[in-house]
Amino acid sequence: MRIKYTAPLRGELSIPGDKSVSHRSVMFGALAEGTTEVTNFLTGADCLSTIACFRQMGIDISLETDSSDSTAKSAPSPATDRQPGGRVRIHGKGLHGLTAPKNVLDAGNSGTTVRLLSGILAGQMFDSCLTGDASIQKRPMKRIMTPLQAMGADITSMHGNGCAPLSIHGTRLHGAHYDSPVASAQVKSCILLAGLYADGMTSVTEPALSRNHSELMLRYFGADVRTDQSSSSTDQTLSEKKLPTVFISPEPTLTARSIHVPGDISSAAYFIAAALLVPGSELLLKNVGINPTRDGMLRVCRAMGADITLLNEDYSGAEPCADLLVRSSSLKAVEIGGDLIPTLIDELPILAVLAAFADGTTIIRDAAELHVKESDRIAVMTENLTRIGCPVEATPDGMIITGGKSLHGAVIDPHKDHRVGMSFSIAALASDGEMEIQDADCVNISYPGFFEDLEAVCR
Ligand code: S3P
């Protein structure tokens, strides 16, 4: 895919559904009794992997997409009532309704699918095997195997390297408390889901609050889930600071609900960045999830001098959402670190691009988790920012990026990482010359239609 600057971004855009919420709607819907109806479901490859896994375990799931749907609209056409995204119906069979899969479960590129599903599979009365693509088979799974094993789970890495494929012998689980060394919603959610099948209360303490979609949605389906922000950590090294702990009671009856998935702030992030960077832009992003455990990008952009206004603040089920009006702004460097990191972990690639065009030196720290995402995002962002002429230094837990120079087009290798591919597509709009994004179809993992939407608002 070749991209170069064409025109300021104008008009409005409905952002596709949130990936994390879409995954969870299928998983929890499958474990609920009755039919869960989901609208604005993200039809990206990752969420389709989750659907495929649950179908293999006997869950009837229908997916309709409106092929006539183009989510992008150019100015000045007003928003319509048309429902973008997929409509999914999950015919749940209750907590104990899954059946043994006949084949290996394939999570594709999706870490959320592998890690959350492992928590569910650990407590089933059948055996299963779970794997994914080449990237998934390199990502760390010990972070879920350790707490699951502490709950009595029989889960092993089949190649003995702490990665997928995972072999899971389903068994009765014990309630336990786990002090997680990482602020990871995938780890936390895995433990909470295993906790549904335990013989007592399960709890998990994180070093900082990660996204809380599982807690909100499980409660919405009827589970007894409670978050205590005032530290009950048993680990003295984690003490002093008030640490969030989530508790879940076992064996709830989950009841099917309707869910309208808010737009994904992690997908909106590319269009926020584009509108900020390209002079003369004014873009309205409709129905974006602004859950405070996910909105760090907005906070950082504002600290950089961004002109972003929240309009029509509302709720989509338990999830807060709003329209975002973004106007081009001149940006200055910032420092990004600490407890903010989990609230913008997936936005760090596009924030690194913003930093490359901002005045001054931006420091990203406390983000070592970037090494173990779909690619090593510290290495891959550093490699590609260097290609476009940006002075950047990789550090063990982040990057130091000196912005403000004029940057140029280059051949970008996103290492098949969707978020890197989209980040440099946006960098193209503010760089001289043309950017060539290799393997650009990797964007379909989280944002099918990304390039069409970009073209639609750059006219
Ligand atoms: C996700 C949690 C985050 C995030 C990922 C989606 C989720 O991962 O990076 O894209 O849906 O729970 P970690 O939990 O590993 O930080």
Side-chain angles (χ1 to χ4, degrees):
M1 174 66 69
R2 291 169 186 273
I3 303 174
K4 67 177 184 186
Y5 170 74
T6 46
L9 289 84
R10 315 285 295 186
E12 62 181 56
L13 191 62
S14 289
I15 295 295
D18 188 280
K19 183 156 79 67
S20 296
V21 174
S22 295
H23 279 299
R24 287 159 171 79
S25 68
V26 172
M27 296 183 182
F28 305 170
L31 303 181
E33 289 172 12
T35 299
T36 288
E37 302 229 358
V38 188
T39 48
N40 201 33
F41 183 86
L42 175 66
T43 55
D46 269 11
C47 299
L48 299 183
S49 295
T50 292
I51 288 183
C53 289
F54 278 88
R55 281 182 175 152
Q56 274 216 57
M57 293 187 287
I59 302 297
D60 179 9
I61 303 172
S62 68
L63 166 64
E64 291 162 36
T65 52
D66 181 358
S67 51
S68 63
D69 169 47
S70 160
T71 53
K73 295 177 283 296
S74 56
S77 68
T80 69
D81 292 336
R82 213 153 26 100
Q83 207 68 227
R87 178 181 287 272
V88 177
R89 281 193 187 82
I90 304 127
H91 301 282
K93 291 188 175 171
L95 217 49
H96 298 281
L98 301 179
T99 51
K102 290 196 177 63
N103 298 309
V104 173
L105 296 166
D106 185 357
N109 191 244
S110 173
T112 304
T113 309
V114 176
R115 296 199 177 109
L116 271 62
L117 195 47
S118 295
I120 295 171
L121 293 172
Q124 301 303 313
M125 286 302 122
F126 56 76
D127 296 348
S128 53
C129 180
L130 181 54
T131 192
D133 68 7
S135 154
I136 275 293
Q137 293 189 37
K138 284 193 226 132
R139 297 181 65 185
M141 294 299 152
K142 276 205 182 117
R143 55 180 57 199
I144 54 156
M145 290 166 63
T146 302
L148 287 177
Q149 284 160 351
M151 295 175 76
D154 184 348
I155 177 169
T156 43
S157 157
M158 290 171 76
H159 298 156
N161 59 356
C163 301
L166 301 173
S167 168
I168 302 171
H169 174 65
T171 186
R172 289 282 317 158
L173 301 175
H174 312 298
H177 174 77
Y178 186 63
D179 276 313
S180 179
V182 279
S184 160
Q186 293 180 355
V187 171
K188 172 176 62 178
S189 304
C190 170
I191 297 166
L192 295 178
L193 287 167
L196 295 175
Y197 297 94
D199 60 4
M201 181 76 89
T202 295
S203 54
V204 51
T205 298
E206 313 188 79
L209 186 61
S210 66
R211 64 191 66 191
N212 65 354
H213 306 300
S214 293
E215 296 90 302
L216 294 179
M217 202 190 289
L218 280 168
R219 205 173 298 137
Y220 184 62
F221 275 86
D224 176 21
V225 188
R226 175 170 69 78
T227 303
D228 182 354
Q229 289 277 6
S230 59
S231 180
S232 70
S233 170
T234 52
D235 181 345
Q236 291 309 305
T237 59
L238 293 175
S239 64
E240 304 309 320
K241 208 176 125 190
K242 300 225 182 261
L243 302 178
T245 301
V246 187
F247 301 82
I248 192 161
S249 307
E251 296 291 340
T253 299
L254 302 180
T255 307
R257 301 294 303 262
S258 296
I259 294 172
H260 182 73
V261 182
D264 196 329
I265 192 167
S266 299
S267 298
Y270 305 102
F271 289 92
I272 294 172
L276 292 175
L277 288 178
V278 178
S281 297
E282 181 170 319
L283 189 62
L284 184 66
L285 302 172
K286 304 281 292 177
N287 177 43
V288 180
I290 52 164
N291 181 318
T293 63
R294 293 285 299 282
D295 72 350
M297 157 101 181
L298 298 180
R299 287 182 264 162
V300 167
C301 285
R302 284 188 170 135
M304 294 175 89
D307 180 350
I308 304 175
T309 310
L310 264 56
L311 303 166
N312 301 322
E313 286 188 55
D314 201 350
Y315 276 86
S316 205
E319 294 284 348
C321 57
D323 298 339
L324 307 181
L325 181 63
V326 189
R327 296 191 183 93
S328 52
S329 310
S330 49
L331 301 178
K332 58 180 192 302
V334 277
E335 296 199 7
I336 310 172
D339 288 358
L340 204 53
I341 294 293
T343 71
L344 47 66
I345 187 71
D346 290 342
E347 289 67 78
L348 285 168
I350 188 63
L351 281 167
V353 165
L354 281 180
F357 293 97
D359 203 14
T361 297
T362 289
I363 299 172
I364 300 172
R365 62 164 70 93
D366 306 320
E369 277 292 295
L370 288 178
H371 289 297
V372 292
K373 291 295 176 187
E374 286 83 327
S375 69
D376 177 343
R377 288 183 177 159
I378 293 180
V380 174
M381 287 306 297
T382 302
E383 171 193 328
N384 286 302
L385 283 171
T386 305
R387 287 187 191 195
I388 68 170
C390 173
V392 53
E393 185 193 325
T395 63
D397 68 348
M399 285 172 269
I400 301 173
I401 300 163
T402 300
K405 287 190 189 300
S406 125
L407 303 178
H408 54 78
V411 176
I412 299 299
D413 180 0
H415 294 245
K416 299 198 170 64
D417 184 331
H418 55 134
R419 301 211 186 277
V420 178
M422 288 188 274
S423 295
F424 282 91
S425 303
I426 301 306
L429 306 179
S431 303
D432 295 331
E434 193 177 71
M435 202 76 81
E436 184 185 332
I437 314 287
Q438 296 179 324
D439 300 319
D441 59 0
C442 63
V443 306
N444 293 331
I445 288 292
S446 63
Y447 200 148
F450 171 75
F451 292 112
E452 290 81 355
D453 280 1
L454 190 56
E455 204 187 314
V457 292
C458 288
R459 285 185 287 167

